[in-house]
Amino acid sequence: LQALWNSTLYVVVAVPAEVILGLAFAIMLSRRVKFESYYETLYFLPYIIPMVPAAIIWKWIYAPGAFGLANHTLQMLGLPFVGWLTNPHIALLAVIGMHVWKNLGFFVIVFLVGLKNIPNDVKEASAIDGATEWARIWRVEVPLLRPIILFGAVMATIWAWSAFTEVYIMTQGTDISTGTEIQVLVFRIYQEGFRYYNMGYASAISFVLFIISLLFVLVQFQLFRGWKEEEA
C-alpha cells in the first residue's frame, strides 16, 4: 500500500508538472525568441542523457552536507541544509523533481512542433478579430493542440507509473537512516520478484499496475473528449 501511495503521488505530481511546464515553455519558444535553436537544444539535452548517469548526477546534487550542489547553494544563500534523499517527507519529491527535469525536454519539443504546425491563417484571423495574445493562446492554440496534449499526458502517465531506475539509483527504495520506505510499485515488483523470489506476488502487483495505468489513461481520454465536446 505504501508503494501504491508513492506511485500515485509520483503520477499526480509528475504528470501535470511535465505537461504544464512543457506547454508553457513551448508557447514561449513559439514566440520567435532569440537563440530559439539554442534553447530547444538546452531543453532537450537532459532527455537524451541515459537515466543511470542522470540519476547519479542528481544523487551527487542532492548529497548531504555541503558536498551536494543543492545544499551548497542553500549554504551560500544563508539557508539551512536539507536532507534531500534522507528526509522521508521530501525524498520522493526530490526524485520526482529529477524525473520532471529529465523528461521535460521531450514535452517541450513535442508541443513546440504542434504549435508550429498550426496554420498561420488561423492565428491571423484571431488577430484580425481583436483577440489578445492571451486569448489567442487559450482560445485558439491550446484547443487546436488538444490531440498532442493528450499524447503528452498519456506518455507522462505511463512513464510516471513505470518509474524505477531513478528510485533505485538515488534511494535504493529505502531511507537507510530511518528505515522509511519511499519505494514505488515497479521497485516493489523488482524486490518481490528478484530479491525475495515471490514471483506470484510480483506478477500480481504487475497486473494491478497495468490495470491502474489503463484506468488512468482511459480517464484522460474521457476528460479530453469532454473538453472537445465543450469546445464544440
Side-chain angles (χ1 to χ4, degrees):
L1 291 178
Q2 184 64 46
L4 176 59
W5 165 252
N6 289 342
S7 288
T8 304
L9 178 62
Y10 208 107
V11 173
V12 170
V13 175
V15 174
E18 290 173 343
V19 174
I20 294 174
L21 290 177
L23 184 59
F25 287 131
I27 290 173
M28 286 190 291
L29 289 177
S30 68
R31 267 42 198 174
R32 297 181 179 179
V33 298
K34 293 182 178 179
F35 310 111
E36 178 183 345
S37 58
Y38 167 77
Y39 287 114
E40 291 177 6
T41 304
L42 189 65
Y43 284 125
F44 194 69
L45 186 61
Y47 178 72
I48 64 176
I49 299 175
M51 182 60 78
V52 172
I56 293 174
I57 291 172
W58 276 85
K59 188 175 182 179
W60 169 75
I61 293 175
Y62 287 143
F67 296 102
L69 181 61
N71 276 332
H72 181 71
T73 303
L74 292 178
Q75 185 182 44
M76 293 176 61
L77 297 175
L79 300 175
F81 291 153
V82 175
W84 299 102
L85 299 178
T86 56
N87 187 334
H89 299 293
I90 61 174
L92 185 63
L93 294 177
V95 176
I96 294 173
M98 178 270 172
H99 177 93
V100 173
W101 169 86
K102 176 76 171 60
N103 295 322
L104 182 61
F106 172 84
F107 299 98
V108 172
I109 298 301
V110 168
F111 294 151
L112 183 60
V113 171
L115 289 169
K116 289 185 175 180
N117 284 329
I118 295 177
N120 289 327
D121 296 342
V122 177
K123 300 178 183 179
E124 293 173 359
S126 63
I128 293 174
D129 289 340
T132 63
E133 186 72 15
W134 186 257
R136 196 185 317 165
I137 291 173
W138 289 108
R139 297 293 183 179
V140 178
E141 296 182 4
V142 172
L144 290 175
L145 208 64
R146 184 171 44 243
I148 300 179
I149 296 176
L150 175 60
F151 167 76
V154 170
M155 293 300 299
T157 300
I158 294 173
W159 288 343
W161 277 116
S162 59
F164 167 74
T165 305
E166 55 269 42
V167 176
Y168 180 78
I169 297 295
M170 298 175 69
T171 68
Q172 295 293 313
T174 303
D175 174 12
I176 299 176
S177 63
T178 63
T180 304
E181 294 183 347
I182 55 175
Q183 57 188 253
V184 291
L185 280 177
V186 178
F187 188 91
R188 188 69 180 180
I189 293 169
Y190 160 76
Q191 274 196 322
E192 293 294 338
F194 300 101
R195 184 176 179 182
Y196 306 129
Y197 301 104
N198 296 326
M199 294 297 179
Y201 189 32
S203 300
I205 300 175
S206 302
F207 182 76
V208 171
L209 177 59
F210 166 74
I211 296 299
I212 294 175
S213 302
L214 180 62
L215 290 176
F216 265 72
V217 171
L218 291 177
V219 168
Q220 287 173 336
F221 270 91
Q222 191 63 34
L223 290 176
F224 275 82
R225 182 179 301 173
W227 181 19
K228 183 177 180 181
E229 293 175 352
E230 182 181 344
E231 289 290 336

